[in-house]
Amino acid sequence: MAATESPVLDVERHIKYWKRCHGSFLPAPYTSNDSTRLTLACFIVSSLDLLRSPLTAPERAAIRTWVLSLQHPDGGFCGSATHAPAGASAGDANLAATFFALVLLALAAVGTGSERDEQNAFAGVQRRQLLIWLRRLQRDADGAMGQVLWEGESVGGHDVRNSYMAAGIRWMMRGDLDKQDERWVEDLNLEKLVKFISQTQTHDGGMGETTSHHESHGGYTFCALSTLSLLSRPASTGKRTEAADKHIPDSAQLLKFLSHRQFIYHADEETAHEDDEENFIEKELAQLQLDGPPTFVGCNGRWNKKADTCYFWWAAGALSLLDRESMLRREPASNYLTGITQHRIGGFAKTTGAPPDIYHSYLGLTALAVMGEPKLKELDAELCCSAEVAACIAKARDGLLAAEKAEAAMDWENDGFW
């Protein structure tokens, strides 16, 4: 690569990669991910949306039918057909599947021209049962969210990823409705949930898995910030930056933690540490003043770890929620993604020399989108999908609420008549 050349996002190759993922069987290693098939499907379809490569009307109709078939009668969605309910008591709905199911329904409604049906994207979603199920997943003791109900009890960890998905589901189904508008649906205990999030900040400013005693991590930090933002987000789209300032104990230390996830990348040092789990000491960005602007900037999720594609998203997404995108080294960071981990067959690898995979390929795109890549659609950082899809979600929720109110009014009239 000549000194004057910069790597670029190869849109055509990425579209080919994602269309292969959508239209054919995934490689055998994905078999173990069957329970998260909804998540994989959402990443695939959302990538094509970000790349401005819309699906056909029959493809979108098939997605909608499939997603609704995974809805559990007691609320929420199951991860795949293998875990779908065969009867009223079979199958297990979980938080992640439910979050991605709702986003997928919105993606399936975003067509072109007369094909758009955003107002009815959530038609068929059992909103009341879903919200009641969601409330049962919150633990009274500490306000943390579980992943799934097991014999009526909330189980599956306490970490902030669950809180993030719960906050997203709540916003997609409730918006900013006042509790008096929905007396028949008990809301989450927001005070306890916010307190739980606030207590996850560690000594170095990042957020840990469940408490301040755990190791800080870029992914947990994004999830914590996005949870706070979603809980205070208005029904229409838009981000709320004051949430972190109000509920994070040390905002200055938080910004320091996020900014230091970036470091100068040198290929020779990468190859010297082939073990993905091996630590190494990265050069801090302060050295940029000595050597001039770097060609590549890597990003990690924890101190003294190797660069990893997905952490560009977790760090960039978190900084965007704080309105601090200026702290991103956009050009050298984009150079790393498009010049180091962008794969020749399309998609992104986790690290140098690895094959592309769905998880890192999607988050590579979202990282570039949040950094302003002009070839991609504008991103909604809180929901990790395009701003267009986020707007569709808001319209779909309004449509579902309107339909429910009309149904309730009709029932009231019928009861009054008889």
Side-chain angles (χ1 to χ4, degrees), residues 37-113:
R37 197 181 302 181
L38 260 174
T39 304
L40 298 177
C42 187
F43 288 172
I44 293 169
V45 179
S46 190
S47 292
L48 289 169
D49 173 63
L50 286 172
L51 290 161
R52 297 186 173 90
S53 179
L55 300 179
T56 65
E59 286 172 333
R60 291 186 288 105
I63 290 171
R64 175 177 172 77
T65 300
W66 175 65
V67 171
L68 290 176
S69 74
L70 302 178
Q71 185 170 207
H72 197 283
D74 295 332
F77 287 79
C78 306
S80 74
T82 309
H83 298 79
S89 60
D92 297 313
N94 67 79
L95 269 178
T98 303
F99 180 96
F100 292 114
L102 296 176
V103 176
L104 258 176
L105 288 173
L107 282 160
V110 177
T112 57

